[in-house]
Amino acid sequence: MDYNFKVDTKRLTLGDLIALENQKMSEMVKILARCLTNEKGEYYEFDAAHEIILAIPLDEFKGVADQFGESMKEIKEGAIPPTGGGK
């Protein structure tokens, strides 16, 4: 299965960004589910997306996480102030 993510700063929160930085798996699954889209680029209903994310085979998960990480890269870099966050 192909997994498509659309990262929207109106959809994600600062709490989501912190959870991702802290690598909390349960929170990451929720965030992935909120950003998962179908082939038309439309968001899935949360419960359906959550089931899809939880069903990802472990041998595919690293690739899915990497794909989502690339989607988040620009947002994360823009969200951390240049004088804070260890930069």
Side-chain angles (χ1 to χ4, degrees):
M1 176 176 184
D2 289 329
Y3 303 94
N4 301 301
F5 299 100
K6 182 170 27 172
V7 177
D8 183 350
T9 57
K10 292 182 184 357
R11 197 169 182 85
L12 296 180
T13 66
L14 179 58
D16 293 331
L17 185 62
I18 292 168
L20 289 172
E21 288 296 317
N22 291 330
Q23 299 180 0
K24 292 182 181 179
M25 184 63 83
S26 60
E27 292 300 315
M28 182 179 183
V29 166
K30 292 176 189 174
I31 295 164
L32 288 170
R34 290 198 350 247
C35 295
L36 187 66
T37 63
N38 62 23
E39 61 279 348
K40 295 178 184 176
E42 301 163 337
Y43 291 106
Y44 284 95
E45 292 293 324
F46 177 80
D47 290 340
H50 194 251
E51 283 186 36
I52 292 168
I53 296 299
L54 289 177
I56 295 172
L58 289 178
D59 68 341
E60 292 180 23
F61 185 71
K62 182 178 181 334
V64 172
D66 289 347
Q67 179 185 351
F68 182 76
E70 284 298 313
S71 299
M72 284 294 299
K73 193 176 201 176
E74 186 175 315
I75 290 171
K76 286 168 64 175
E77 289 173 358
I80 300 172
T83 59
K87 287 191 173 186

